[in-house]
Amino acid sequence: MAPKDRTTSAHDTIDSGVRDARRAEVDVEVLVVGAGFSGLAMGHALRRVGVTSFRILEKAQDVGGTWRENTYPGAACDVPSHLYSFSFAPDPGWSRSYSPQPEILAYLRETARQQDLLAHVVFGAEVIEARFDEARGAWSVVSRDTQTGASTTTTSRSLVLGNGALHIPSIPRFEGAETFAGPQFHSARWDHAVDLRGKRVAVIGTGASAIQFVPAIQPDVAHLSVFQRTAPWVVPKRDFAFSPTTKAILKSVPALQRAYRAFIYGVNEAQAYGFVYEPRLMKLLGKLAIQHMHREIAHPVLRKKLTPTFVMGCKRVLLSNDWYRALRQPNVDVVTHAIDRIETNGVRTRDGVLHEVDAILYGTGFSVAEYLSSMRIHGRGGVELNERWQKRPEVHLGISVSGFPNLFLLMGPATGLGHNSMIFMIEAQARYAAQCVRRIEDHGLRMLDVKPEAQAAFTREVQERMKRTVWASGCASWYQAGDGESVTALWPGFTFEYWARTRKPDFSQFVAT
Ligand code: N01
């Protein structure tokens, strides 16, 4: 007879003999996908709750996730480093307020080493499929060895997806792109073997990545054609270097470093009021951004091209001190005519002009709506997660999906931010997921499955709250679901509310079997 679904009580913990027998049923208690910020946070959170049987499967040969993949010139974080880092691994040595990519990657490597997480990571293992076995109460996870191509199946009681949402490059399909004679690549797959010096270069896209690499390459290239579909909102970046004295003080007075982190958090968090509750405030900030642009750009035609036409904040607000400065240089053209096709020697726009170039760089972002499409994840009854989410993703707290027991998402839908550090959200999710894993272990559960009604209530709440936010003000952005209508990527509130709601899982919202 199938065991009855019920909610366990705190008194139902199993004894050590049963626990050992259960451990033997699977290869490992927890499998984590990805060794970026999310995977490492999860490893740390599991340790904190006393779960030591976990393995992190990483497709590459290094930790770092997005900070390993995005190596384009000028790559840096647009959230201050003292906040864009783990609360459990503060680093007083950040060189700048907004650190460059190599430093963030070095921080992640060092944290993985210091936290003793490297021994848990299997490198070169790309997860391609996961299937939940209801009878065993375990996930069977198939990974491919990226060097030999061999597949391995690992069983685990719980599965945590820490593979990030911004990792599948989105390259628009322009007619004729395959006929282009020169090199062409995406910002997240930067080809460092290509020497752009003295070349005529096309950049397609003007988002968070392009505004970083365009100023970095502009002085060296012969000519730059920047193809802009939508002018972004850009505000100045308070970017400065920390002096050796400041670093020494922060190192010797950890409380001061914590206070500094809390200060940055507070300043960023205050902006949520404008994004979420009072979008009219964004108009004020918009005026400051226009002043910034006018200070840098004198030419009226270029000013017009660079003036955004949507409500500030609807797409990600960009931070830069050198974007406009780069665009006003004599070797740069901002092209606002739509791209018609790509030809052997350049990009032709709809006005019939051929912009001759030697290389094409795509700063065209990521396929966020299909961020799990490289994996097939089958839950109860064989239902596949990408198929379930075809119209739009539904999750509880951005972490659990009904019908997919013992599965936990980090950086999942409804938890992205437009105003503060994602690391704060990731740590909250990792702590929540680790407590669920602990519950599964302690109570000898086969399945911990969030109730459909809890998930539906959360989805309704998020959609309802989203309506009054700036993200729903009518622009098109990667924050929206595949249906292009609902904004499903972001958390429509203050992050401290999310933190409070995920501090302790409410197990009455789950069916425990
Ligand atoms: O991508 P994006 P990104 N024809 O989606 C344009 C994070 N990030 O890689 O606005 C012509 O922002 C598109 O135009 P439009 C951050 O969360 C963080 O820059 O859609 N143009 C847009 O201009 C960010 O939000 C850091 O009209 C086309 C651009 O390509 C996310 O990554 C640094 C086009 C895409 O902009 C993505 O940023 C970098 C087409 N067919 C990135 N299709 C940090 O500092 C698209 N575009 C932490």
Side-chain angles (χ1 to χ4, degrees), residues 72 76-78 172 205-209 229-230 315-316 363-366 478:
Y72 58 78
C77 191
D78 60 8
T206 54
S209 303
R229 188 165 67 175
T230 312
K315 291 168 187 268
R316 192 174 173 93
T364 43
F366 300 88
W478 65 258

Side-chain angles (χ1 to χ4, degrees), residues 67 70 72 76-79 84 166 170 172-174 186-187 204-212 227-232 237 310 315-316 318 339 363-366 417 476-479:
W67 295 103
N70 284 276
Y72 58 78
C77 191
D78 60 8
V79 177
Y84 193 83
L166 298 166
S170 163
R173 285 200 194 94
F174 293 116
H186 187 271
S187 56
I204 301 177
T206 54
S209 303
I211 73 147
Q212 294 187 333
F227 292 85
Q228 173 189 271
R229 188 165 67 175
T230 312
K237 193 172 183 181
F310 60 97
K315 291 168 187 268
R316 192 174 173 93
L318 308 183
I339 295 171
T364 43
F366 300 88
L417 300 178
S477 76
W478 65 258
Y479 299 154

Side-chain angles (χ1 to χ4, degrees), residues 280-347:
R280 280 176 303 178
L281 286 178
M282 300 310 288
K283 287 201 177 133
L284 286 178
L285 200 57
K287 284 194 179 138
L288 296 177
I290 293 292
Q291 279 171 12
H292 166 60
M293 191 261 283
H294 284 194
R295 266 196 307 276
E296 297 286 339
I297 305 288
H299 199 287
V301 175
L302 189 52
R303 273 188 180 180
K304 190 155 185 285
K305 283 183 181 176
L306 298 177
T307 303
T309 52
F310 60 97
V311 182
M312 185 182 202
C314 187
K315 291 168 187 268
R316 192 174 173 93
V317 177
L318 308 183
L319 274 67
S320 175
N321 298 330
D322 48 15
W323 169 244
Y324 292 131
R325 212 166 294 162
L327 295 188
R328 70 172 187 236
Q329 299 308 317
N331 67 337
V332 180
D333 272 334
V334 177
V335 183
T336 50
H337 287 286
I339 295 171
D340 182 28
R341 51 182 288 116
I342 292 178
E343 300 181 6
T344 334
N345 53 346
V347 179

